[in-house]
Amino acid sequence: PTAHHHMGGVRINEDGQTSVENLFACGEVCGGVHGANRLGGNALADTQVFGRRAGFAAALACDLSEMQYNFTSVEAEKDRIESLMKEGSIDPIEMKKEIQQLMWEKVSIVRNEQNLKAALERLIEMKEELKDLNVDERTQFNESLLTALEVINMVEICILIVKSAILRRESRGAHFREDFPETNDELWKKSIVMGPNKIRFAKR
Ligand SMILES: Cc1cc2nc3c(=O)[nH]c(=O)nc-3n(C[C@H](O)[C@H](O)[C@H](O)COP(=O)(O)OP(=O)(O)OC[C@H]3O[C@@H](n4cnc5c(N)ncnc54)[C@H](O)[C@@H]3O)c2cc1C
């Protein structure tokens, strides 16, 4: 087996609009389009249909709104990236490999609470370890910086995936829990929507 599609992702409406104003998304980064499982071949149909819709909606939004540069957030992002370039004891490239291995072993095809909780525990430790990344100061071809930026996002996303998988105590579509092998429509016919500080459930 191979990992070839994620069912969860950014929440969008039918025009690819996300919860951030004027930010549109389409394709595999989005969740909800395929329900709990994706039929073979439908990922490419998804990219074409929602790519077109999101493209039109984004073009219309550009026509309707005036572009405003937010220098404060650009400077804040520049500072964040520059602050990563320092000596530390953790190699981001090794951390990326560890995240991939951990997610494959404990959060992939057959899931159970014990493995999911072990994965969550390690990911929370890793979130702390992100403060101690060893990143080169080169401004060109800086693989350790690119990987550091990736692992920061990977840890965050993996925590969301694992928390949702722990919460969903049933099996549905591509989410198979060997400790809860049945589908439970009464309790779980709904999507899990995670925000920065809260979790809510959306009826399907
Ligand atoms: C092995 C395998 C087999 C598959 N087989 C099929 C199939 O037979 N039929 C089917 O329908 N689907 C199939 N899929 C799924 C389908 O290919 C994907 O769902 C689809 O390609 C996703 O397209 P996308 O444009 O949303 O994302 P992607 O194709 O992943 O594109 C995202 C792009 O964003 C770029 N990117 C990432 N981060 C950044 C960044 N920070 N800045 C700038 N760029 C960035 C990436 O480099 C990439 O080019 C398969 C997938 C795999 C892995």
Side-chain angles (χ1 to χ4, degrees):
T2 181
H4 72 153
H5 199 275
H6 288 275
M7 244 56 72
V10 180
R11 193 167 162 81
I12 52 166
N13 70 7
E14 65 278 13
D15 288 321
Q17 171 72 61
T18 67
S19 58
V20 177
E21 194 188 2
N22 289 336
L23 179 66
F24 294 83
C26 59
E28 199 170 332
V29 75
C30 304
V33 174
H34 304 282
N37 207 350
R38 173 182 71 90
L39 295 179
N42 275 9
L44 295 182
D46 166 6
T47 59
Q48 303 310 297
V49 172
F50 285 91
R52 187 173 192 273
R53 285 177 165 220
F56 276 122
L60 185 63
C62 286
D63 282 347
L64 295 178
S65 50
E66 211 163 291
M67 181 77 180
Q68 284 172 349
Y69 293 98
N70 185 335
F71 289 105
T72 317
S73 50
V74 171
E75 281 305 312
E77 183 59 3
K78 195 165 154 263
D79 290 348
R80 179 182 81 96
I81 293 171
E82 282 171 357
S83 72
L84 291 172
M85 294 194 271
K86 59 175 173 47
E87 276 187 27
S89 64
I90 301 203
D91 178 354
I93 295 166
E94 288 307 314
M95 186 185 252
K96 182 174 172 178
K97 285 186 200 153
E98 190 191 336
I99 298 170
Q100 289 169 329
Q101 192 66 28
L102 181 76
M103 293 300 282
W104 180 248
E105 281 172 6
K106 301 207 181 313
V107 196
S108 62
I109 298 169
V110 178
R111 298 168 168 181
N112 63 54
E113 185 152 323
Q114 195 188 353
N115 280 345
L116 291 170
K117 284 192 167 163
L120 183 60
E121 204 175 302
R122 180 67 194 118
L123 286 162
I124 289 168
E125 282 170 11
M126 282 177 167
K127 196 168 172 170
E128 275 303 301
E129 291 171 8
L130 290 172
K131 294 174 189 152
D132 192 25
L133 291 178
N134 187 38
V135 179
D136 290 344
E137 292 190 19
R138 273 178 295 138
T139 49
Q140 284 186 317
F141 306 115
N142 190 340
E143 193 189 354
S144 65
L145 176 60
L146 288 179
T147 312
L149 290 165
E150 268 183 15
V151 292
I152 291 168
N153 291 339
M154 284 170 82
V155 168
E156 205 63 56
I157 298 296
C158 290
I159 288 175
L160 294 180
I161 291 172
V162 177
K163 280 186 175 171
S164 309
I166 291 173
L167 217 52
R168 191 175 279 283
R169 301 180 116 195
E170 63 149 4
S171 292
R172 181 177 296 271
H175 167 75
F176 180 72
R177 287 277 303 253
E178 60 184 348
D179 43 356
F180 296 95
E182 304 298 329
T183 300
N184 184 341
D185 276 351
E186 204 182 317
L187 285 179
W188 279 111
K189 204 169 180 187
K190 53 195 174 191
S191 301
I192 300 170
V193 185
M194 294 208 171
N197 303 312
K198 63 175 183 187
I199 300 173
R200 69 183 174 84
F201 300 99
K203 272 261 173 238
R204 290 197 65 87

